Amino acid sequence: MKRIIALCGAVVLCLSLLSGCAKPGANGPTPDKQEKVDLAAFAQTVQENHEFHSLERADPEDAEVGAVMLGNWYPGLTDLDLEQVEIYTAMISFSGGELALVEAKNAEDAAKVKEIFQARIDQKSVDGIGNYPDEVEMWKNHARLADHGNYVMLVNHEDSEAIAGEFNALFS
């Protein structure tokens, strides 16, 4: 009887060792891995469902305009190695609307993006530095940050709470 119990224990031990050698995610998705979210598609949906005034995409690959705008408005963002960058800003500055979506490659860069986005909100929420009074009020009252893992969003819009909810729903 003792031999049978010892044999069963050895079998269980061997099976547990073998299960530790399996590839991660072989039995399904791992909790650390998440579905890839298409930020360009999400940005398009947001702009279709919520009226933004004269938003233009700031393309980081456009060295003449896009990269300069991003460098001025989001200092440090173009220095990061990011998976996806979708930033839409109002060409008429007093309209105040803005949508910025980024997927960072790691948690450290996502934290830096969040800091950069918060600095943008702080800078635009102050009177007297080239910001229009209505624009300042909009940034103070409607700008929101949302993040999930390596994804970070800044939105400045009257429907910012709803848009943040839509962003969070991408990950549920």
Side-chain angles (χ1 to χ4, degrees):
M1 184 69 166
K2 289 182 184 179
R3 288 184 181 167
I4 292 174
I5 294 174
L7 181 62
C8 288
V11 169
V12 169
L13 181 61
C14 287
L15 290 175
S16 67
L17 288 172
L18 289 174
S19 68
C21 296
K23 291 181 182 176
N27 296 325
T30 59
D32 295 338
K33 296 289 180 183
Q34 58 187 7
E35 289 284 322
K36 184 101 168 142
V37 172
D38 182 350
L39 294 180
F42 177 69
Q44 185 66 35
T45 300
V46 167
Q47 292 178 67
E48 289 169 0
N49 294 337
H50 306 275
E51 185 177 345
F52 280 85
H53 301 285
S54 69
L55 285 189
E56 296 287 332
R57 183 173 184 269
D59 184 358
E61 301 298 318
D62 176 6
E64 290 183 23
V65 178
V68 172
M69 286 172 43
L70 292 177
N72 290 336
W73 294 349
Y74 296 96
L77 189 69
T78 55
D79 297 335
L80 301 174
D81 187 19
L82 304 169
E83 292 286 333
Q84 298 181 75
V85 178
E86 292 294 325
I87 296 183
Y88 300 83
T89 59
M91 295 296 109
I92 302 171
S93 63
F94 58 83
S95 72
E98 197 154 308
L99 178 63
L101 302 155
V102 170
E103 178 190 5
K105 288 190 177 181
N106 55 57
E108 182 181 320
D109 284 349
K112 289 177 186 174
V113 169
K114 199 170 176 183
E115 288 174 15
I116 291 167
F117 283 1
Q118 185 60 57
R120 173 79 172 152
I121 293 170
D122 295 345
Q123 186 267 328
K124 296 300 284 180
S125 299
V126 177
D127 289 325
I129 55 171
N131 298 329
Y132 294 97
D134 290 343
E135 179 186 21
V136 169
E137 287 306 308
M138 185 173 181
W139 280 92
K140 283 181 180 178
N141 298 318
H142 298 291
R144 298 288 179 270
L145 283 177
D147 65 312
H148 185 85
N150 293 342
Y151 292 88
V152 185
M153 178 187 74
L154 177 152
V155 61
N156 183 31
H157 190 274
E158 290 88 0
D159 295 337
S160 60
E161 291 297 326
I163 295 167
E166 293 165 17
F167 176 80
N168 289 328
L170 293 171
F171 307 100
S172 34

